[in-house]
Every structure is written in structure tokens, then in C-alpha cells.
Amino acid sequence: MRYSKSFIKTSHQAPKDAETASHRLLARGGFIYPLGAGFYSLLPMGFRVYQKIYDIITEELNRIGVEDMIMPVVHPARVWKETKRFFEVGPELWKIKNRFKEDFVLAMTHEEVITDAAKPIISSYKDLPKLVGHIQTKVRDEARARGGLLRTKEFTMQDAYSFDRDEEALDKSYQKFIKAYNNIFERVGIETIMIESDVGAMGGLGANEFMMIAKNGEDKIVVCKKCWHAVNADVLGISRESNAIRKGTKCPKCRSTNLTFKRGIEVGNIFKLGTKYSIPQKLFYTDERNKEHPVIMGSYGIGLERLLASVVEASHDKDGIIWPTSIAPYRVYLLGIDKKSAADKTYQQLTKAGVEVFYDDRDATAGEKFADADLLGIPYRATVSAKTKGKIELKKRGSKQVKLVTTSELARRIK
Ligand SMILES: [Zn+2]
């Protein structure tokens, strides 16, 4: 892609309300555009990162047997009334009416919708287990949308669902997802810990969250220094505002009182739903003796935009983003100094070799081009100038080392 043709405008100025590094850098780099508080467009540069995250998630879930589908964003309220969540969930559940004054709900999650869809499919023990999921828009009327992409009112979520005959089988499905989630987070380049969490509005038998440790994270985690078991502070009855662990609070696993606080960003959560949805929505199966039982369910979710922003929180410096290669929008940022024709030629050669290249062909100073290369965080910077005598100056983002290479070496090195 040529910079001059791209739908991008970078800026030295961060939005006034930007409190987090990811908000500042994604806005300055032209990855996102705020339509209003909590509503963002992903501009082309941001959408490329999003698509790479999308592919990694899909690949890892397909590997454990999750089959892809898609469910609607607008839900007739019937299913939400069956589980009573229509009445029980707070104002974050966005309710609308149609022209006939009938109730509808904007998808906050899809448990009710998937359970409804499973009814004609699952009726016997022979129909179990099943794993299914989708990546779809979610809408939540958050009281305080903040932090750029970290907390928005509309976002995309991968959510998957498991259907099993008993709790033992659910445990097996649950373990598969834990493995897949760990792979996903590792591949996008962040370190997470899995912690015990509150079941919250989802209900059920138990829940875990995947937390990325971050000093400005909004979640509080209590870690036991003896056995390293970690729990969400909510589980121990510690409020979000509190800065101290009450005297006498014990680790729920080993009963040690040697506990410490950490802050984190929640990047994924998984729930053992049990029969919370199957009973009210009447999703039953018959066993070998023709006896009827409710299906045991699990649900699993990762917010894509939040994950994207979390990677930026974890990987940046004062000049800009440092994308992990696996999800970088492009592989190389090419720029020419006083040698436009040579840079043009290199661009064509790299494109032909199948390298994802963002070519800064603007009529701008070297300083401006270098600044944008750092801000956008593309893993490699390639500079063509009269000084380099037919060779290309290659530099890795975040490193000071510069190497002189030929075009074919370049294509090989950065692939
Ligand atoms: Zn412990």
C-alpha cells in the first residue's frame, strides 16, 4: 500500500480524553476513529491488525473442534424473557422496540440465542458433545465507556459455546478452551494469567478470567505468594476502589494470608454455565435409558478490539507502537530519501515477492517519515537513499541496529 493512497492521517496530538497508551497511540497512528463516546471505527490500518487477530482466534478454536457460525445482533425479546435476563440484567442491556412496539434486545451476549438454536439439533445423548462459536458484534450500554478500545459500547467478540451431557464432560470441553485461549494470547504476543472469577450476570457453576498484568489495568487481582493461585478481587469481596486487602483475608486455595495486589486487563473469560440456560429454555436430551436431562453448557469469550488495545498496552515505547510480527498491519515500512525512483522499484519488487509493505511515498522530510514509521509500529523499517548505494538500510522496530541489505535479502530476512 502506498501512504499517499491510504485512508490514513497520523497526528502529533492525542485526544484530550485519552488516559491510556493504547488510546493515545491508536488514535495518533490513525488506527481508529471515534464516532462518539464508546463507538469506534477501525480505519484500514487498525482493521488489518483486527483481521490478523480474527484469523488467529478462528484457527486455534477450529483446532479444538469449534465449528463457526453467525447469529444475529438484534434479538426478539422472547428468548431473553425465557431466562428472565430481560428483566434481571441492568441498564447495560440495550432494549429497543420495533414499529409495533414489540420488545427487542441488542446482543449483549448470545447464550439465549445459541440455546434456542440448539433445541432442534440436540435431543439425545448421541447428539453430544457439540462445540460451536462465532465472531459477532456485541452491544452494551456501558455507563462509562473509556480507554479507547478497552471499554466500548459496541465491539466484536469471539464467543463460543459447549454442550455436554454432564459436568465431567463439561470439564473436558472447558480444558480444551483453556488450552486454545493460552495459544491465542501467546500468538498475539501477550502474557496472561488465568484467575478464578465471579460468575456475575452469566450465572452458573464457576468462571475464570484471563488477565494481562498491566499497571493501569482496571481489574484488581489478588495473588497468593505461597501457592500463586490468583483470584479476581471481587471473589474475596474486595471492592474495585479499595487499595488494601483486609486483615485476615485468606487464599481460597491454600489458606495463606500472604497475599498481594496486582492490576490487570481482562482479555478473555470462560464460564461453566451448567443448566442456567438449558433449564429455562428447555434444552434437554434423553440418555440411554430414555431418561431426560438438561444439557450442561459452557460459554467462552474474547473481545477482539480489547485484545488489540491490550497488545498496544503491553508493547509500545515513547515513540509509538511495537507490533508483534504475528498481528502487525504490515511487515515492512518502506521509505525513500531523495531517491524516489529507487524506492518505487523496491516497492514493486517487495510487493511482487509477496511481502506486506507500507510504502511512505509522500513528499515529506526524512524526519517525518521516520516518526511515522515508529508511531505505526510496523516490525521493519527499510530506507532507500543515495547514501546506501543501491542497497537498503534495514532496521527492526525497537532496535537501534541498522543493516545494509539487497532487496532479495530484505524479502528473505523479514518473511
Ligand atoms: Zn495460596
Side-chain angles (χ1 to χ4, degrees):
M1 186 73 209
R2 284 172 181 273
Y3 198 127
S4 62
K5 300 265 188 294
S6 177
F7 195 71
I8 187 172
K9 186 72 84 175
T10 60
S11 163
H12 295 290
Q13 214 67 47
K16 283 193 191 72
D17 62 334
E19 294 165 6
T20 60
S22 61
H23 190 181
R24 284 193 293 273
L25 294 174
L26 290 170
R28 284 190 50 213
F31 290 84
I32 58 174
Y33 175 76
L35 179 64
F39 297 97
Y40 282 90
S41 293
L42 290 179
L43 299 174
M45 196 58 82
F47 188 60
R48 288 181 73 92
V49 180
Y50 170 94
Q51 281 179 305
K52 294 193 175 175
I53 293 175
Y54 188 110
D55 290 345
I56 288 173
I57 291 175
T58 305
E59 248 179 65
E60 291 297 333
L61 291 182
N62 289 166
R63 192 168 289 168
I64 62 161
V66 174
E67 203 178 5
D68 301 319
M69 62 183 289
I70 191 94
M71 291 179 267
V73 177
V74 181
H75 305 166
R78 167 184 65 85
V79 287
W80 286 80
K81 287 179 178 170
E82 282 173 5
T83 62
K84 302 204 164 54
R85 284 214 294 176
F86 186 80
F87 313 102
E88 289 168 2
V89 178
E92 61 272 21
L93 180 64
W94 203 313
K95 297 168 183 171
I96 57 171
K97 285 190 191 289
N98 69 359
R99 68 184 72 194
F100 306 112
K101 305 276 182 279
E102 291 165 328
D103 291 322
F104 288 78
V105 162
L106 300 183
M108 187 179 85
T109 63
H110 283 84
E111 280 76 17
E112 280 85 352
V113 178
I114 191 70
T115 306
D116 201 60
K119 282 162 74 173
I121 296 167
I122 299 171
S123 57
S124 151
Y125 70 97
K126 291 176 195 161
D127 301 324
L128 297 169
K130 292 265 193 274
L131 300 178
V132 75
H134 70 167
I135 293 178
Q136 174 63 298
T137 299
K138 299 281 186 286
V139 184
R140 293 179 191 180
D141 194 0
E142 290 282 352
R144 285 188 315 132
R146 59 169 279 276
L149 293 187
L150 286 174
R151 185 169 289 281
T152 57
K153 296 188 184 192
E154 184 184 310
F155 56 97
T156 330
M157 192 170 187
Q158 172 281 317
D159 45 316
Y161 303 89
S162 63
F163 300 90
D164 285 291
R165 59 179 297 167
D166 52 32
E167 282 183 35
E168 203 188 324
L170 168 62
D171 278 341
K172 279 189 194 141
S173 299
Y174 205 73
Q175 289 306 321
K176 282 187 190 172
F177 277 96
I178 290 174
K179 197 162 166 258
Y181 272 32
N182 281 326
N183 287 347
I184 291 164
F185 298 131
E186 200 186 314
R187 283 182 66 187
V188 303
I190 59 168
E191 271 183 61
T192 57
I193 55 167
M194 191 179 82
I195 69 165
E196 191 187 311
S197 64
D198 217 11
V199 292
M202 309 290 285
L205 305 169
N208 292 93
E209 285 168 300
F210 291 81
M211 287 279 181
M212 186 184 94
I213 303 299
K215 58 179 188 297
N216 55 354
E218 64 169 1
D219 284 286
K220 278 190 181 159
I221 306 160
V222 178
V223 182
C224 169
K225 283 179 146 175
K226 199 174 160 210
C227 73
W228 297 106
H229 183 63
V231 299
N232 192 311
D234 295 348
V235 173
L236 299 175
I238 298 166
S239 76
R240 232 161 232 195
E241 294 72 37
S242 163
N243 279 314
I245 299 167
R246 263 192 323 276
K247 246 193 155 164
T249 304
K250 292 191 176 99
C251 164
K253 201 169 178 190
C254 76
R255 315 305 294 163
S256 165
T257 51
N258 192 3
L259 307 176
T260 179
F261 257 140
K262 290 215 180 295
R263 285 186 167 275
I265 298 171
E266 179 225 294
V267 288
N269 46 30
I270 57 180
F271 300 89
K272 289 183 177 177
L273 300 173
T275 58
K276 155 110 183 164
Y277 298 86
S278 53
I279 289 179
Q281 291 187 261
K282 300 188 173 59
L283 175 63
F284 295 105
Y285 74 94
T286 51
D287 67 14
E288 293 85 339
R289 290 176 193 154
N290 221 23
K291 196 167 171 265
E292 210 169 53
H293 306 272
V295 173
I296 308 294
M297 290 171 56
S299 89
Y300 313 85
I302 297 179
L304 272 74
E305 292 86 350
R306 174 183 279 221
L307 184 55
L308 187 157
S310 300
V311 173
V312 180
E313 291 295 332
S315 186
H316 66 269
D317 62 16
K318 64 174 179 22
D319 301 318
I321 300 169
I322 305 173
W323 290 112
T325 310
S326 59
I327 61 166
Y330 291 91
R331 191 54 70 101
V332 60
Y333 190 102
L334 172 70
L335 63 107
I337 303 172
D338 57 54
K339 266 279 210 189
K340 188 129 193 187
S341 58
D344 269 349
K345 205 175 136 209
T346 307
Y347 174 59
Q348 277 150 21
Q349 286 168 333
L350 288 175
T351 305
K352 215 171 154 190
V355 177
E356 292 176 303
V357 44
F358 192 67
Y359 172 30
D360 192 343
D361 62 343
R362 292 175 303 164
D363 192 13
T365 66
E368 284 172 292
K369 292 181 180 181
F370 287 149
D372 268 8
D374 283 345
L375 176 60
L376 296 178
I378 293 167
Y380 293 94
R381 188 186 81 194
T383 310
V384 177
S385 74
K387 229 174 51 188
T388 56
K389 298 194 178 75
K391 288 203 168 180
I392 300 162
E393 203 182 84
L394 182 65
K395 181 182 160 301
K396 197 163 196 296
R397 176 72 178 91
S399 147
K400 285 199 164 48
Q401 242 187 10
V402 174
K403 281 205 172 76
L404 278 181
V405 296
T406 62
T407 311
S408 58
E409 271 171 357
L410 171 66
R412 225 180 22 250
R413 252 172 208 276
I414 66 176
K415 265 232 158 141

